[in-house]
Amino acid sequence: MRTGRPLDHSAGYGTVFTPAVLEAPPLPVPRGPLSEYLVELLGGDVRPAAGWPKPADDALFGEDGALALHCLYELHYRGFGGVDDRFEWEPSLLALRAELEGDLERRLIDLAGPDPSPTGDIAAELRRVISQPGGRSLSGRLAERGSLDQFREYATHRSLLQLKEADPHTWAVPRLTGAAKAALVEIQADEYGGGTERDMHQNLFGLTMLELGLDPSYGAYVDRLPGGTLATANVPSFFGLHRRWRGALVGHLAVFEMTSVEPMGAYAAALRRLGLPWSARHFFEVHVVADAHHQNLAAESLAGGLVRAEPALARDVLFGARATMAVEGYCTENILAAWDRGETALLPCRDEPGAR
């Protein structure tokens, strides 16, 4: 976790973050043999990886494997402070990433469950996926009786994905055509604030974190996030960085847009009950309005447009939707189970990144 940077916790709507807050984060603290090997490699001169150790666990919900994959994916986003950008396309690291992704893919296929035959109406199929009986509701828990500390913990978990909101799905823009591309661009334009920096959803979530007394710096809390939370960002990055999984990425985004309105309203209600100001709630209230439109756009025009153009991708869209529901459900249950025990699902505080 980053420390030592002065933050203005009184900033309200209209604030945009300085380059120091948005800069590439430091390398995380390793959690096992593979992540230790990788962090040491990335912290030095560019050279091929060789003879890397096996991860201590799996690449989906494990600690060592998931963190190693997170590090490899971040090379394609903002990178890490002090790490040479040439590592992004180092062939040996791509081979290591492929090895981890093979494990991730197998785990996701098992987790997503049986692959039903699409009926032809992809929007209806997606609605069936999200209507299946699921686990407990994190947003409902926070709205009804969650404490301020629990809301801070929720925001800490979500910061991994929300502070890069829309970025994983933008990989799909050059990979789609026609109606699907147009629908995705419309959704992404809203996510990026219509080109206005203060209204970018990444920025708005950072303001929520400030109002909660949290550090909105990109990657500030990676060392406290368990493998299940890392999975919520690793999965869309996996889908997004592979053209062959463009259908699954569309399914991922469709699920997020189609299941957003009620939870976002509940999170806003929780913050209102806890006495937080409008600037803390604005991120959630913006999503209630935007996603009321996006849910149909994602189902009918994005997913529907893609499947009309490429019918063979219907299975992948549904796989991405089912996998997303399962991964998000796992993360939610991990948090709620910890709260039931009177504990936190965050990992213990560690020393500064780089400490061993």
Side-chain angles (χ1 to χ4, degrees), residues 31 60-63 135-138 141 150 153-154 157 224-232 325-347:
R31 303 182 192 178
L60 181 56
F61 296 136
E63 299 298 336
R136 296 184 288 171
S137 169
L138 184 58
R141 171 76 165 263
Q150 287 174 337
E153 178 177 343
Y154 153 76
H157 284 280
R224 299 213 59 198
L225 302 180
T229 300
L230 297 179
T232 64
M325 294 288 289
V327 168
E328 292 292 325
Y330 179 96
C331 181
T332 292
E333 184 55 34
N334 186 51
I335 295 170
L336 290 176
W339 292 356
D340 289 345
R341 299 189 300 268
E343 300 172 356
T344 174
L346 295 172
L347 301 180

Side-chain angles (χ1 to χ4, degrees), residues 59-62 66 69-70 73-74 77 104 108 111 138 154-162 164-165 168-169 225-239 249 252-253 256 323-335:
L60 181 56
F61 296 136
L69 193 54
H70 165 79
Y73 283 148
E74 281 302 310
Y77 291 102
L104 179 72
L108 285 174
L111 192 67
L138 184 58
Y154 153 76
T156 300
H157 284 280
R158 295 312 297 179
S159 66
L160 185 68
L161 189 57
Q162 302 300 166
K164 62 155 60 88
E165 184 170 4
H169 300 116
L225 302 180
T229 300
L230 297 179
T232 64
N234 282 347
V235 168
S237 293
F238 168 56
F239 291 154
L249 185 65
H252 183 281
L253 179 56
F256 265 79
T324 300
M325 294 288 289
V327 168
E328 292 292 325
Y330 179 96
C331 181
T332 292
E333 184 55 34
N334 186 51
I335 295 170

Side-chain angles (χ1 to χ4, degrees), residues 21-307:
V21 175
L22 301 174
E23 68 185 6
L27 285 163
V29 176
R31 303 182 192 178
L34 181 58
S35 55
E36 183 171 17
Y37 169 87
L38 185 58
V39 166
E40 182 176 347
L41 180 75
L42 293 175
D45 296 331
V46 178
R47 65 186 191 279
W52 53 77
K54 293 293 184 183
D57 43 37
D58 71 273
L60 181 56
F61 296 136
E63 299 298 336
D64 188 32
L67 181 63
L69 193 54
H70 165 79
C71 290
L72 292 167
Y73 283 148
E74 281 302 310
L75 296 175
H76 297 287
Y77 291 102
R78 298 186 207 179
F80 295 98
V83 173
D84 196 310
D85 286 341
R86 288 176 295 175
F87 271 120
E88 179 185 7
W89 296 111
E90 165 52 45
S92 61
L93 289 186
L94 296 179
L96 170 56
R97 200 187 87 190
E99 184 177 297
L100 290 170
E101 287 176 331
D103 181 34
L104 179 72
E105 183 175 329
R106 288 188 292 272
R107 293 294 311 281
L108 285 174
I109 289 171
D110 289 343
L111 192 67
D115 181 16
S117 298
T119 62
D121 186 343
I122 196 67
E125 292 283 355
L126 286 168
R127 293 186 181 101
R128 272 192 281 275
V129 169
I130 64 176
S131 67
Q132 295 299 310
R136 296 184 288 171
S137 169
L138 184 58
S139 61
R141 171 76 165 263
L142 287 171
E144 293 168 8
R145 55 192 173 94
S147 67
L148 183 56
D149 281 344
Q150 287 174 337
F151 203 102
R152 289 191 181 107
E153 178 177 343
Y154 153 76
T156 300
H157 284 280
R158 295 312 297 179
S159 66
L160 185 68
L161 189 57
Q162 302 300 166
L163 291 179
K164 62 155 60 88
E165 184 170 4
D167 292 349
H169 300 116
T170 298
W171 296 112
V173 173
R175 294 168 176 172
L176 303 183
T177 59
K181 182 193 274 296
L184 179 60
V185 169
E186 180 178 347
I187 292 170
Q188 298 299 84
D190 287 344
E191 304 292 347
Y192 291 126
T196 301
E197 185 179 4
R198 70 167 184 265
D199 292 324
M200 292 173 61
H201 292 184
Q202 300 173 2
N203 191 74
L204 294 181
F205 193 80
L207 293 181
T208 294
M209 295 185 74
L210 274 183
E211 294 286 4
L212 290 167
L214 298 171
D215 185 348
S217 303
Y218 184 84
Y221 294 103
V222 166
D223 286 329
R224 299 213 59 198
L225 302 180
T229 300
L230 297 179
T232 64
N234 282 347
V235 168
S237 293
F238 168 56
F239 291 154
L241 286 166
H242 292 272
R243 184 179 181 277
R244 72 186 178 94
W245 284 120
R246 63 195 181 279
L249 185 65
V250 165
H252 183 281
L253 179 56
V255 161
F256 265 79
E257 300 298 340
M258 296 169 71
T259 60
S260 174
V261 174
E262 184 175 343
M264 290 295 175
Y267 290 130
L271 289 173
R272 192 177 300 111
R273 178 179 63 79
L274 292 167
L276 274 291
W278 171 80
S279 53
R281 306 191 306 266
H282 187 48
F283 169 85
F284 301 101
E285 292 173 347
V286 161
H287 278 78
V288 171
V289 175
D291 293 345
H293 170 57
H294 288 176
Q295 60 185 343
N296 292 320
L297 183 64
E300 303 288 348
S301 300
L302 175 58
L306 176 62
V307 171

